Amino acid sequence: MAKKFKITICSGTTCYVLGGAHLMMLAEALPADLKDQVEIIDSNCIKACQYENALPPFVQINDYLMAQASVAKVVEYLRKH
Amino acid sequence: MTMNYINNASLLKRQLVVRFARLMFAGELKNKIDLLPLHQAPRNSEAVRCCVHHDRAVIRYRLIALLGFAIENEKPDDEARTLSSYVEEAEARGLERMAGSALTVIDEACSACIRANYRVTNACRGCVARPCMMNCPKNCISFENGQAHIDEKACISCGICAKVCPYHSIVFQPIPCEQACPVNAIVQDKNGKQDIIAEKCINCGKCLQACPFGAIMERSEIYEILRAITNPAEATVALIAPSIVGQFNTSLGKLVTALRKLGFDHVVEVAWGADLAAQKETAELIERLEHGQTCMTSSCCPAYVDAVNKHISNIKPLVSDTLSPMQYAGEWAGQQWPGARRVFVGPCIAKRAEAKASPHIENTLTYEELGSVFIAAGVDVAECEESRADLEATSVGRKFAVSGGVSTAIKNAASAAGHNVTDKVIDGLDAKSLAMLKAIEKVVKPGTFVEVMSCEGGCINGPGVISNPTVARRFLEKMLQEHP
Ligand code: SF4
Ligand code: SF4
Ligand code: FES
């Protein structure tokens, strides 16, 4: 069965160094009730960093591109949707 | 584990290093460095401190530290100096090593944390018994608007008031850097700002990780290093520490290529030096035990070695004489490529102090700094091809990155040589483990090898890492499984 959320964590160098490293803990940090609703993908640069004034790290949740992502922000987003 | 949690102060610092490195790659540092504080804290942005001007003043000092200068040396008139004049001075400094401590405190950023460690919260009911006031040995508690008040100047932080309050309304508030320092080397000066006492400091970097204002900076060598790698006439070697695995969420082979793309001519795995150190240290251990010594400790962590020299010199005879993996690898590189600039790339600030005193290493760069340099150069590590280092290691040396790796290597090598040794791992330095080390001969069984790491968890939790140590450890284990 397809999961409700497809989460792509960008671990290109720009994102990874500027805060993305901590997103690698997302799987562990997800509350139990959300765990089986998400599929987490670890991806190379998703090219969002190449825009002027981009705010890495980036996470793509289904169609939504989250800038300055953090574990807490991702969890909050999942709760609201 | 003292956690390498996500921290805005360190992210801002990484962004600044990206801007700094971009200017260096463009050859415009001297012309444009004075604009960096304005770019990093633009006029209409939300200030982190009281206002953008204060933010910019702090950024200016960060840049001075990035250029390798100690902020403590600033003379009164220097406040009016341009950053580009500092660049000129750094340029003229040439190849000389920077004298003095590896760390510097930005007074302007230090928030002069509370003087007294105890604070009355709003939970105070101003009760009739007033045990805090009655029991304070310094008489420094008075009542204002029905609540207790501590006179910070008179308070000696004894904690009696907190203990006796029936509502638990007095809390203990540590000074983060002081609390983190294992050797009491960082203290408040008369203005409430922190000073590092060089004679006591072991450059472990714990205070730097602990300060929520990012007030403690390392005196970087990034200027020298970038200048060398962008100069085609200068040969450079990157000596990568074992803990680099897992710092960029990618393979070692890709990292090697990425380093070459930055301009390093050669790449050497310091884990090769760790392989060698493990052999030498085992032979040394066996010999020492045969001569009746009770135990021997490791010598690869320079913060620990410094702690012995400065604080528990009674156990000096127990510390191994074997050089650190960094130095063996540097020595090899020096023979291989005479005259090349050897840059140790690692998680560690204490290594910077060790390198300064060593003939085998010229500079050190942290992973954080390397990460920012990759961004500035537009090198995406994960998208690089795999390539091989000029000198590779075995899994024995690669395990030196996590606590327990050194002692396992030595125990195994000793047992292969027919000697049974026990091991003990001191995972992280603090006042308690230092006290234990002081009496280590009485604590361990005869015939023990003692591994000591200043950072809890080992170098993967060093002060200059990017990855969360849990993630880095996972990565390292995976790699060791694939390349046993
Ligand atoms: S010993 Fe460590 S914590 Fe203490 S001042 Fe030096 S670097 Fe900071
Ligand atoms: S444990 Fe490693 S990173 Fe930490 S101070 Fe020692 S050598 Fe440096
Ligand atoms: S590195 Fe994440 S979008 Fe480019």
Side-chain angles (χ1 to χ4, degrees):
Chain A
M1 199 184 79
K3 311 270 189 195
K4 187 169 168 206
F5 299 108
K6 181 173 155 193
I7 304 182
T8 307
I9 300 176
C10 176
S11 53
T13 300
T14 303
C15 286
Y16 198 78
V17 173
L18 296 179
H22 293 270
L23 293 165
M24 297 294 124
M25 300 295 282
L26 180 64
E28 276 98 326
L30 281 179
D33 57 314
L34 286 174
K35 265 209 171 93
D36 36 280
Q37 296 184 44
V38 302
E39 178 192 0
I40 298 179
I41 298 162
D42 183 2
S43 153
N44 277 7
C45 174
I46 57 174
K47 311 290 177 216
C49 62
Q50 288 163 10
Y51 295 98
E52 180 96 11
N53 301 323
L55 296 170
F58 291 101
V59 166
Q60 173 99 35
I61 307 173
N62 295 341
D63 292 335
Y64 171 65
L65 180 69
M66 182 185 280
Q68 286 186 311
S70 67
V71 169
K73 268 171 81 177
V74 172
V75 171
E76 195 197 62
Y77 179 90
L78 297 180
R79 282 249 171 276
K80 284 197 184 141
H81 289 83
Chain B
M1 203 185 265
T2 40
M3 254 305 140
N4 171 271
Y5 55 89
I6 188 152
N7 168 332
N8 200 31
S10 71
L11 291 185
L12 289 170
K13 196 171 88 191
R14 288 179 203 172
Q15 284 167 7
L16 188 65
V17 180
V18 174
R19 291 176 195 270
F20 179 92
R22 276 200 183 122
L23 288 186
M24 274 206 83
F25 284 126
E28 292 193 304
L29 188 70
K30 213 188 320 181
N31 306 341
K32 295 206 173 149
I33 189 169
D34 283 286
L35 297 174
L36 280 186
L38 281 64
H39 292 166
Q40 175 99 356
R43 187 173 310 159
N44 298 322
S45 65
E46 208 180 305
V48 181
R49 292 183 172 76
C50 56
C51 59
V52 288
H53 304 289
H54 193 185
D55 283 351
R56 288 175 186 170
V58 171
I59 293 164
R60 179 174 172 275
Y61 285 113
R62 288 197 199 293
L63 289 164
I64 294 174
L66 271 179
L67 286 164
F69 296 101
I71 291 150
E72 290 80 0
N73 294 343
E74 187 188 50
K75 295 173 207 70
D77 285 354
D78 286 349
E79 235 178 291
R81 257 182 88 173
T82 58
L83 287 167
S84 68
S85 77
Y86 280 97
V87 176
E88 271 162 24
E89 194 180 329
E91 208 169 347
R93 188 169 59 199
L95 306 185
E96 275 160 56
R97 293 177 185 221
M98 298 177 294
S101 164
L103 289 160
T104 182
V105 183
I106 306 180
D107 262 6
E108 198 75 35
C110 174
S111 89
C113 297
I114 25 75
R115 292 226 168 176
N117 281 137
Y118 288 87
R119 193 158 266 227
V120 182
T121 65
N122 253 334
C124 170
R125 314 278 302 251
C127 65
V128 177
R130 302 194 168 173
C132 54
M133 184 177 91
M134 303 303 284
N135 290 287
C136 172
K138 290 288 168 189
N139 246 331
C140 61
I141 298 184
S142 57
F143 278 76
E144 279 167 22
N145 306 324
Q147 283 193 326
H149 173 84
I150 298 176
D151 174 359
E152 293 199 348
K153 288 212 178 68
C155 170
I156 53 164
S157 294
C158 68
I160 292 174
C161 55
K163 232 173 271 154
V164 297
C165 171
Y167 295 104
H168 298 281
S169 65
I170 298 178
V171 293
F172 172 71
Q173 249 194 348
I175 299 179
C177 58
E178 279 186 18
Q179 200 191 28
C181 180
V183 292
N184 297 323
I186 185 158
V187 291
Q188 274 186 337
D189 65 16
K190 56 184 188 313
N191 301 318
K193 309 261 174 163
Q194 299 294 138
D195 283 337
I196 293 177
I197 307 166
E199 296 72 38
K200 286 188 173 179
C201 173
I202 58 173
N203 292 304
C204 65
K206 294 181 196 283
C207 53
L208 171 142
Q209 278 177 302
C211 174
F213 284 86
I216 300 161
M217 285 280 289
E218 7 160 1
R219 290 171 56 202
S220 179
E221 297 179 358
I222 197 166
Y223 175 77
E224 277 79 0
I225 295 167
L226 291 183
R227 195 169 55 162
I229 60 176
T230 50
N231 175 2
E234 187 169 354
T236 48
V237 190
L239 296 112
I240 50 175
S243 52
I244 201 165
V245 175
Q247 293 303 319
F248 291 94
N249 202 30
T250 175
S251 69
L252 194 60
K254 291 184 176 178
L255 259 166
V256 171
T257 309
L259 285 160
R260 292 209 169 102
K261 277 197 181 164
L262 280 186
F264 284 102
D265 299 298
H266 312 285
V267 182
V268 165
E269 265 192 72
V270 169
W272 175 88
D275 283 338
L276 187 64
Q279 285 167 23
K280 296 207 187 227
E281 214 156 321
T282 308
E284 189 189 358
L285 174 70
I286 293 171
E287 197 191 309
R288 286 192 185 209
L289 295 180
E290 275 168 358
H291 281 83
Q293 188 170 316
T294 13
C295 60
M296 184 180 89
T297 84
S298 58
S299 61
C300 51
C301 171
Y304 161 62
V305 174
D306 229 16
V308 171
N309 291 337
K310 291 177 173 163
H311 301 279
I312 42 172
S313 54
N314 67 305
I315 68 161
K316 224 169 166 168
L318 303 179
V319 180
S320 161
D321 290 325
T322 303
L323 292 185
S324 71
M326 170 181 86
Q327 299 214 44
Y328 284 123
E331 191 178 19
W332 183 90
Q335 286 159 2
Q336 195 72 12
W337 305 290
R341 181 183 288 263
R342 293 158 294 180
V343 180
F344 173 81
V345 181
C348 188
I349 292 166
K351 284 278 178 209
R352 184 159 294 161
E354 183 194 346
K356 251 190 251 167
S358 157
H360 303 307
I361 294 287
E362 275 70 47
N363 293 116
T364 61
L365 188 72
T366 65
Y367 297 140
E368 275 192 300
E369 290 174 329
L370 175 66
S372 296
V373 173
F374 278 142
I375 296 175
V379 173
D380 191 295
V381 187
E383 282 167 16
C384 291
E385 308 270 301
E386 302 268 338
S387 71
R388 300 183 64 164
D390 296 76
L391 182 63
E392 293 179 321
T394 72
S395 60
V396 175
R398 287 174 175 165
K399 276 189 209 140
F400 270 52
V402 285
S403 58
V406 181
S407 61
T408 311
I410 291 193
K411 208 165 68 176
N412 292 345
S415 101
H419 292 266
N420 229 337
V421 298
T422 12
D423 62 342
K424 170 144 187 83
V425 179
I426 309 264
D427 187 15
L429 285 184
D430 54 23
K432 218 169 110 205
S433 56
L434 280 169
M436 188 210 270
L437 277 163
K438 196 169 177 164
I440 193 75
E441 279 186 290
K442 299 191 195 79
V443 179
V444 296
K445 286 201 294 199
T448 302
F449 176 76
V450 186
E451 170 193 314
V452 190
M453 293 281 194
S454 169
C455 300
E456 207 179 328
C459 303
I460 51 166
N461 193 25
V465 298
I466 297 168
S467 289
N468 179 300
T470 318
V471 176
R473 178 188 277 268
R474 211 155 54 201
F475 236 88
L476 190 80
E477 279 163 4
K478 200 174 123 220
M479 173 194 175
L480 293 173
Q481 257 170 20
E482 286 162 11
H483 307 271

